[in-house]
Amino acid sequence: MLIGWYPGHMNKARKEIIHALKKVHAILEVVDARLPYSSENPLLRELTGDKPVLKLLNKTDLADPGLTSQWLSYFAKNNVSAMAITSNSQTSLSKTITRHFRSLQKAAKPPFKVMVVGIPNAGKSTLINNLTNRKIAKTGNEPAITKGQQEIKLDEDFLLVDTPGILWPKIEDQDSAYRLAVTGAIKNTAIVMEDIALYAIAFLKTNYPENLQDRYTLDTLDEEPIALLEEIGAKRGCLRKGGVDHNKAAVILLNDIRSQKLGQITLESPTEIPKSDNENSEQD
Ligand SMILES: Nc1nc2c(ncn2[C@@H]2O[C@H](COP(=O)(O)OP(=O)(O)O)[C@@H](O)[C@H]2O)c(=O)[nH]1
Ligand SMILES: [Mg+2]
């Protein structure tokens, strides 16, 4: 199996979230700006019911600015409150977010409680640390690091629940699973690096050819992904007896993508969202 989420885990996460959400007024949903669709939890809308959700497209610094704009327009058109953020460096984020909820707060008796939810590695802990200006939640590049429970006062009548709701990613969709893996949202040990790298190369060839070509000074992209992976590996000294070490080459490529060495890249656009997933798409 590609990802380490199983029905048992999902059921437990689901129950925990349903329980935790009962105590809050609104939800901060953290998704990855490089894949706003695939980094959503497939059941979140069902779990949050009528509670207001603010969708935060995090890691905007890593994403393609043009596509981030397209995603924001798409969400606006579909009546989804969304905001693009960079939670590891942005200042005044707390003010911006509390201001957004201020209008909704009128409907609820203070303190107004908000909870952060999202899939592993989306940046929930980083966001909580940013909002509280403290190092409360542990952050890390590997998924599923956050533990513990607290409530933090953001201002006079605004509370943040510091137990991020950790939800499973879109694993039922193969494409989503691959995209998530490219960004590192799935533990490296749970995936075959070479498969993910080949997926990434095919994607880059089509969508960001210059970024790929420039980074590895490739003469041409008119080759199969496997041949390109070998060329990249050969150039980066990933040689072993009998040829190129595919796994090593894959690790180099994926690390480069994740650390933005290939530039700002977004892995999916709003036009690729399956129709059935678009609640407000026109139906006839
Ligand atoms: N470049 C960038 N990295 C971020 C941002 N927000 C979080 N990260 C990084 O993403 C990784 C996962 O973040 P974390 O907060 O631990 O995610 P969580 O699993 O959802 O709690 C960490 O290495 C963070 O430093 C961001 O806005 N930009
Ligand atoms: Mg965390």
CSV table of all heavy atoms in Angstrom, one decimal, residues 22-55:
chain,number,residue,atom,x,y,z
A,22,LYS,N,-17.0,19.5,18.3
A,22,LYS,CA,-18.2,19.9,19.1
A,22,LYS,C,-17.9,21.1,20.0
A,22,LYS,O,-18.8,21.8,20.3
A,22,LYS,CB,-18.6,18.7,20.0
A,22,LYS,CG,-19.4,17.7,19.2
A,22,LYS,CD,-20.0,16.6,20.2
A,22,LYS,CE,-20.6,15.5,19.4
A,22,LYS,NZ,-20.4,14.2,20.0
A,23,LYS,N,-16.7,21.2,20.4
A,23,LYS,CA,-16.3,22.3,21.4
A,23,LYS,C,-15.9,23.6,20.7
A,23,LYS,O,-15.5,24.5,21.4
A,23,LYS,CB,-15.2,21.8,22.3
A,23,LYS,CG,-15.6,20.5,23.0
A,23,LYS,CD,-14.4,20.1,23.9
A,23,LYS,CE,-14.6,18.6,24.4
A,23,LYS,NZ,-13.3,18.0,24.7
A,24,VAL,N,-15.8,23.6,19.4
A,24,VAL,CA,-15.4,24.9,18.8
A,24,VAL,C,-16.4,25.5,17.9
A,24,VAL,O,-17.4,24.9,17.5
A,24,VAL,CB,-14.1,24.7,17.9
A,24,VAL,CG1,-12.9,24.1,18.8
A,24,VAL,CG2,-14.3,23.8,16.7
A,25,HIS,N,-16.2,26.8,17.6
A,25,HIS,CA,-17.2,27.5,16.8
A,25,HIS,C,-16.8,27.6,15.3
A,25,HIS,O,-17.6,27.7,14.4
A,25,HIS,CB,-17.3,29.0,17.2
A,25,HIS,CG,-17.7,29.1,18.7
A,25,HIS,ND1,-16.8,29.4,19.7
A,25,HIS,CD2,-18.9,28.9,19.3
A,25,HIS,CE1,-17.4,29.4,20.8
A,25,HIS,NE2,-18.7,29.1,20.6
A,26,ALA,N,-15.5,27.4,15.0
A,26,ALA,CA,-15.1,27.5,13.6
A,26,ALA,C,-13.8,26.7,13.4
A,26,ALA,O,-13.1,26.4,14.4
A,26,ALA,CB,-14.8,29.0,13.3
A,27,ILE,N,-13.4,26.5,12.2
A,27,ILE,CA,-12.3,25.7,11.8
A,27,ILE,C,-11.4,26.4,10.9
A,27,ILE,O,-11.8,27.0,9.9
A,27,ILE,CB,-12.9,24.4,11.1
A,27,ILE,CG1,-13.6,23.5,12.1
A,27,ILE,CG2,-11.7,23.6,10.5
A,27,ILE,CD1,-15.1,23.6,11.9
A,28,LEU,N,-10.1,26.2,11.2
A,28,LEU,CA,-9.0,26.7,10.3
A,28,LEU,C,-8.5,25.4,9.6
A,28,LEU,O,-7.9,24.6,10.2
A,28,LEU,CB,-7.9,27.3,11.1
A,28,LEU,CG,-8.1,28.7,11.6
A,28,LEU,CD1,-7.0,29.1,12.6
A,28,LEU,CD2,-8.3,29.7,10.5
A,29,GLU,N,-8.8,25.3,8.3
A,29,GLU,CA,-8.4,24.1,7.5
A,29,GLU,C,-7.1,24.4,6.8
A,29,GLU,O,-7.1,25.3,5.9
A,29,GLU,CB,-9.5,23.7,6.5
A,29,GLU,CG,-9.1,22.5,5.7
A,29,GLU,CD,-10.0,22.4,4.5
A,29,GLU,OE1,-10.7,23.3,4.1
A,29,GLU,OE2,-9.8,21.3,3.8
A,30,VAL,N,-6.0,23.8,7.2
A,30,VAL,CA,-4.8,24.0,6.5
A,30,VAL,C,-4.6,23.0,5.4
A,30,VAL,O,-4.6,21.8,5.6
A,30,VAL,CB,-3.6,23.9,7.5
A,30,VAL,CG1,-2.3,24.2,6.8
A,30,VAL,CG2,-3.8,24.7,8.7
A,31,VAL,N,-4.4,23.6,4.2
A,31,VAL,CA,-4.0,22.7,3.0
A,31,VAL,C,-2.7,23.3,2.4
A,31,VAL,O,-2.3,24.3,2.8
A,31,VAL,CB,-5.2,22.7,1.9
A,31,VAL,CG1,-6.4,22.1,2.5
A,31,VAL,CG2,-5.4,24.1,1.4
A,32,ASP,N,-2.1,22.5,1.5
A,32,ASP,CA,-0.9,22.9,0.9
A,32,ASP,C,-1.2,23.6,-0.4
A,32,ASP,O,-1.9,23.1,-1.2
A,32,ASP,CB,-0.1,21.6,0.7
A,32,ASP,CG,1.3,21.9,0.2
A,32,ASP,OD1,1.5,22.8,-0.6
A,32,ASP,OD2,2.2,21.1,0.6
A,33,ALA,N,-0.7,24.8,-0.5
A,33,ALA,CA,-1.0,25.7,-1.7
A,33,ALA,C,-0.5,25.0,-3.0
A,33,ALA,O,-0.9,25.3,-4.1
A,33,ALA,CB,-0.3,27.0,-1.6
A,34,ARG,N,0.4,24.0,-2.9
A,34,ARG,CA,0.9,23.3,-4.1
A,34,ARG,C,-0.1,22.3,-4.6
A,34,ARG,O,0.1,21.8,-5.7
A,34,ARG,CB,2.3,22.7,-3.8
A,34,ARG,CG,3.4,23.7,-3.5
A,34,ARG,CD,4.6,23.0,-3.0
A,34,ARG,NE,4.4,22.4,-1.7
A,34,ARG,CZ,5.3,21.7,-1.0
A,34,ARG,NH1,6.4,21.4,-1.6
A,34,ARG,NH2,5.0,21.2,0.2
A,35,LEU,N,-1.0,21.9,-3.7
A,35,LEU,CA,-2.0,20.9,-4.1
A,35,LEU,C,-3.2,21.1,-3.2
A,35,LEU,O,-3.6,20.2,-2.4
A,35,LEU,CB,-1.4,19.5,-4.0
A,35,LEU,CG,-0.8,18.8,-2.8
A,35,LEU,CD1,-0.4,17.4,-3.2
A,35,LEU,CD2,0.3,19.5,-2.2
A,36,PRO,N,-3.9,22.2,-3.4
A,36,PRO,CA,-5.1,22.5,-2.6
A,36,PRO,C,-6.2,21.5,-2.6
A,36,PRO,O,-6.9,21.3,-1.6
A,36,PRO,CB,-5.6,23.8,-3.2
A,36,PRO,CG,-4.4,24.4,-3.9
A,36,PRO,CD,-3.7,23.2,-4.4
A,37,TYR,N,-6.3,20.7,-3.7
A,37,TYR,CA,-7.3,19.7,-3.8
A,37,TYR,C,-6.9,18.4,-3.1
A,37,TYR,O,-7.6,17.9,-2.2
A,37,TYR,CB,-7.7,19.4,-5.3
A,37,TYR,CG,-8.5,18.2,-5.4
A,37,TYR,CD1,-9.9,18.2,-5.1
A,37,TYR,CD2,-8.0,17.0,-6.0
A,37,TYR,CE1,-10.6,17.0,-5.2
A,37,TYR,CE2,-8.7,15.9,-6.2
A,37,TYR,CZ,-10.1,15.9,-5.8
A,37,TYR,OH,-10.8,14.8,-5.9
A,38,SER,N,-5.7,17.9,-3.5
A,38,SER,CA,-5.2,16.7,-2.9
A,38,SER,C,-4.9,16.7,-1.5
A,38,SER,O,-4.9,15.7,-0.8
A,38,SER,CB,-4.0,16.2,-3.7
A,38,SER,OG,-4.4,15.9,-5.1
A,39,SER,N,-4.6,17.9,-0.9
A,39,SER,CA,-4.2,18.0,0.5
A,39,SER,C,-5.4,18.3,1.4
A,39,SER,O,-5.3,18.5,2.6
A,39,SER,CB,-3.1,19.0,0.7
A,39,SER,OG,-3.5,20.3,0.3
A,40,GLU,N,-6.6,18.3,0.8
A,40,GLU,CA,-7.8,18.4,1.6
A,40,GLU,C,-8.1,17.0,2.2
A,40,GLU,O,-7.8,16.0,1.6
A,40,GLU,CB,-9.0,18.7,0.7
A,40,GLU,CG,-9.4,20.1,0.4
A,40,GLU,CD,-10.6,20.1,-0.6
A,40,GLU,OE1,-11.1,19.0,-1.1
A,40,GLU,OE2,-10.9,21.2,-1.0
A,41,ASN,N,-8.9,17.0,3.3
A,41,ASN,CA,-9.4,15.7,3.7
A,41,ASN,C,-10.7,15.5,3.0
A,41,ASN,O,-11.6,16.3,3.0
A,41,ASN,CB,-9.6,15.7,5.2
A,41,ASN,CG,-10.2,14.4,5.7
A,41,ASN,OD1,-11.4,14.3,5.8
A,41,ASN,ND2,-9.4,13.4,5.8
A,42,PRO,N,-10.9,14.3,2.4
A,42,PRO,CA,-12.1,14.0,1.7
A,42,PRO,C,-13.4,14.1,2.5
A,42,PRO,O,-14.4,14.4,1.9
A,42,PRO,CB,-11.9,12.6,1.1
A,42,PRO,CG,-10.8,12.0,1.9
A,42,PRO,CD,-9.9,13.1,2.4
A,43,LEU,N,-13.3,14.0,3.8
A,43,LEU,CA,-14.6,14.0,4.6
A,43,LEU,C,-14.7,15.3,5.4
A,43,LEU,O,-15.7,15.4,6.2
A,43,LEU,CB,-14.6,12.8,5.5
A,43,LEU,CG,-15.0,11.5,4.9
A,43,LEU,CD1,-15.2,10.5,6.0
A,43,LEU,CD2,-16.3,11.6,4.1
A,44,LEU,N,-13.8,16.2,5.2
A,44,LEU,CA,-13.9,17.4,6.1
A,44,LEU,C,-15.2,18.1,6.1
A,44,LEU,O,-15.7,18.4,7.2
A,44,LEU,CB,-12.7,18.4,5.9
A,44,LEU,CG,-12.7,19.4,6.9
A,44,LEU,CD1,-12.2,18.9,8.3
A,44,LEU,CD2,-11.8,20.6,6.5
A,45,ARG,N,-15.7,18.3,5.0
A,45,ARG,CA,-17.0,19.0,4.9
A,45,ARG,C,-18.1,18.3,5.7
A,45,ARG,O,-18.9,18.9,6.3
A,45,ARG,CB,-17.5,19.2,3.4
A,45,ARG,CG,-16.8,20.3,2.7
A,45,ARG,CD,-17.3,20.5,1.3
A,45,ARG,NE,-16.3,21.0,0.5
A,45,ARG,CZ,-16.2,20.8,-0.8
A,45,ARG,NH1,-17.0,19.9,-1.4
A,45,ARG,NH2,-15.3,21.4,-1.5
A,46,GLU,N,-18.1,17.0,5.6
A,46,GLU,CA,-19.1,16.2,6.3
A,46,GLU,C,-18.8,16.3,7.9
A,46,GLU,O,-19.8,16.5,8.6
A,46,GLU,CB,-18.9,14.8,5.9
A,46,GLU,CG,-20.0,13.8,6.5
A,46,GLU,CD,-19.6,12.4,6.2
A,46,GLU,OE1,-19.5,12.1,5.0
A,46,GLU,OE2,-19.4,11.6,7.1
A,47,LEU,N,-17.5,16.4,8.2
A,47,LEU,CA,-17.2,16.4,9.7
A,47,LEU,C,-17.5,17.8,10.3
A,47,LEU,O,-17.8,17.9,11.5
A,47,LEU,CB,-15.7,16.1,9.9
A,47,LEU,CG,-15.3,14.7,9.4
A,47,LEU,CD1,-13.8,14.5,9.6
A,47,LEU,CD2,-16.0,13.6,10.2
A,48,THR,N,-17.3,18.8,9.5
A,48,THR,CA,-17.5,20.2,10.1
A,48,THR,C,-18.9,20.7,10.1
A,48,THR,O,-19.3,21.6,10.8
A,48,THR,CB,-16.6,21.2,9.4
A,48,THR,OG1,-16.9,21.1,8.0
A,48,THR,CG2,-15.2,21.0,9.6
A,49,GLY,N,-19.8,20.0,9.4
A,49,GLY,CA,-21.2,20.4,9.3
A,49,GLY,C,-21.4,21.8,8.9
A,49,GLY,O,-20.8,22.3,7.9
A,50,ASP,N,-22.1,22.6,9.7
A,50,ASP,CA,-22.4,24.0,9.3
A,50,ASP,C,-21.4,25.0,9.9
A,50,ASP,O,-21.6,26.2,9.7
A,50,ASP,CB,-23.8,24.4,9.9
A,50,ASP,CG,-24.9,23.6,9.1
A,50,ASP,OD1,-24.7,23.2,8.0
A,50,ASP,OD2,-26.0,23.5,9.7
A,51,LYS,N,-20.4,24.5,10.6
A,51,LYS,CA,-19.5,25.4,11.2
A,51,LYS,C,-18.7,26.1,10.1
A,51,LYS,O,-18.3,25.5,9.1
A,51,LYS,CB,-18.6,24.7,12.2
A,51,LYS,CG,-19.4,24.3,13.4
A,51,LYS,CD,-18.6,23.8,14.5
A,51,LYS,CE,-19.5,23.5,15.6
A,51,LYS,NZ,-19.1,22.4,16.5
A,52,PRO,N,-18.4,27.4,10.4
A,52,PRO,CA,-17.6,28.2,9.4
A,52,PRO,C,-16.2,27.6,9.3
A,52,PRO,O,-15.6,27.3,10.3
A,52,PRO,CB,-17.6,29.6,9.9
A,52,PRO,CG,-18.3,29.6,11.2
A,52,PRO,CD,-18.9,28.3,11.5
A,53,VAL,N,-15.7,27.5,8.1
A,53,VAL,CA,-14.4,27.0,7.8
A,53,VAL,C,-13.6,28.0,7.0
A,53,VAL,O,-14.1,28.6,6.0
A,53,VAL,CB,-14.4,25.7,7.0
A,53,VAL,CG1,-13.0,25.2,6.6
A,53,VAL,CG2,-15.2,24.6,7.7
A,54,LEU,N,-12.4,28.3,7.5
A,54,LEU,CA,-11.5,29.2,6.7
A,54,LEU,C,-10.4,28.3,6.1
A,54,LEU,O,-9.7,27.7,6.9
A,54,LEU,CB,-10.9,30.3,7.5
A,54,LEU,CG,-9.9,31.2,6.8
A,54,LEU,CD1,-10.5,31.9,5.6
A,54,LEU,CD2,-9.4,32.3,7.8
A,55,LYS,N,-10.4,28.2,4.8
A,55,LYS,CA,-9.4,27.4,4.2
A,55,LYS,C,-8.1,28.2,4.0
A,55,LYS,O,-8.1,29.3,3.4
A,55,LYS,CB,-9.9,26.9,2.8
A,55,LYS,CG,-9.1,25.8,2.2
A,55,LYS,CD,-9.6,25.5,0.8
A,55,LYS,CE,-10.8,24.6,0.7
A,55,LYS,NZ,-10.4,23.2,1.0
